[in-house]
Amino acid sequence: MTRKLVPGDRLVIASHNQGKLREFSELLAPYGIDTTSAAELNLPEPEETGTTFVANSLLKAFAASQATGLPALADDSGIEVDALGGEPGIYSARWAGPDKDFNAAMRQVYDGVVAQGGWIDGNRRANFNATLVIVWPELTAAGAHASFEGKSFGTLQWPPRGDGGFGYDPMFQPDGADKTFGEMRPEEKHAHSHRARALKLFVKASVDGGHS
Ligand code: ITT
């Protein structure tokens, strides 16, 4: 059995990250879905004990769905730096520490790359990953959840540029662009972003009228 959201259906976005929530509301606006969020509902933040994007995303979606009885969509995401063997990856939020200091986290990425042989072209490749999981509370077993992955490949920049977006945006320039995500307007970022790509797959599979 498959399930699709129709206009007016309620969906909880299982996130407390205001940057992600802003992007989801922009990207879902055309479909008339009534969205709320884990942050707005004051749901507890589950501990991210998984070792993969999909495991952590499932854990967040499941917790929000259990707490609300609503379909829940979670996003586990991060930046994977080639020269760092894919780190920080699923630990991207944790590199910013309890104060969510992304200037310090970006500096840690920069220092790590420098330590791996220098801030040279071949060392600066990276990609963002977003893995979305939808949990349908009323479905069981096979149909109860599904995952969708989007990636954006590009080059790390130093110093960081722009004050738009969130997280690591000012130090990432997607391929085919001459601006960092931090310098882009929201719709420019969506044209290149991992989250918009994953959401497009979600919409196609799970939103009525989302196939076009
Ligand atoms: P939730 O779990 O509540 O959704 P979180 O910030 O803890 O919020 P994650 O565990 O998925 O989310 O961590 C992902 C981190 O990766 C996030 O905090 C950002 O720093 C970074 N990140 C993900 N997508 C990004 C994007 O589009 N631009 C910049 N940084 C991004």
Side-chain angles (χ1 to χ4, degrees):
M1 180 177 168
T2 56
R3 163 90 153 86
K4 291 208 172 200
L5 293 166
V6 298
D9 273 354
R10 288 195 85 201
L11 172 70
V12 53
I13 308 295
S15 176
H16 290 76
N17 179 315
Q18 293 302 324
K20 287 185 191 178
L21 291 172
R22 196 172 51 241
E23 293 188 1
F24 277 113
S25 77
E26 291 160 3
L27 291 162
L28 286 169
Y31 303 102
I33 298 160
D34 179 10
T35 57
T36 182
S37 71
E40 209 176 335
L41 297 172
N42 272 321
L43 302 183
E45 287 192 57
E47 202 188 332
E48 298 191 17
T49 51
T51 55
T52 60
F53 288 113
V54 73
N56 283 332
S57 197
L58 176 58
L59 182 150
K60 291 186 275 192
F62 186 72
S65 177
Q66 286 276 98
T68 59
L70 293 171
L73 181 68
D75 166 313
D76 202 60
S77 46
I79 190 164
E80 301 180 298
V81 177
D82 289 12
L84 303 180
E87 290 210 356
I90 63 164
Y91 302 105
S92 295
R94 280 164 269 190
W95 276 31
D99 295 336
K100 302 191 193 310
D101 182 349
F102 283 98
N103 288 323
M106 288 190 285
R107 162 68 67 176
Q108 196 180 334
V109 168
Y110 173 76
D111 289 344
V113 172
V114 169
Q116 287 305 314
W119 193 252
I120 52 173
D121 276 359
N123 267 351
R124 288 165 42 213
R125 296 294 299 165
N127 67 272
F128 272 112
N129 181 311
T131 300
L132 309 186
V133 170
I134 176 83
V135 166
W136 304 106
E138 71 278 34
L139 301 189
T140 52
H145 58 83
S147 64
F148 308 91
E149 185 185 58
K151 291 185 182 219
S152 175
F153 290 87
T155 309
L156 297 175
Q157 305 293 316
W158 199 263
R161 302 196 312 264
D163 54 12
F166 64 98
Y168 298 83
D169 278 344
M171 79 176 305
F172 180 81
Q173 183 165 300
D175 292 339
D178 58 5
K179 294 177 186 172
T180 67
F181 274 165
E183 293 173 304
M184 292 182 180
R185 285 175 285 115
E187 59 276 22
E188 290 178 284
K189 178 176 173 186
H190 298 328
H192 293 275
S193 95
H194 47 305
R195 182 161 299 102
R197 287 174 183 158
L199 198 77
K200 197 169 171 187
L201 298 176
F202 163 73
V203 163
K204 194 169 176 199
S206 316
V207 177
D208 205 38
H211 43 74
S212 51

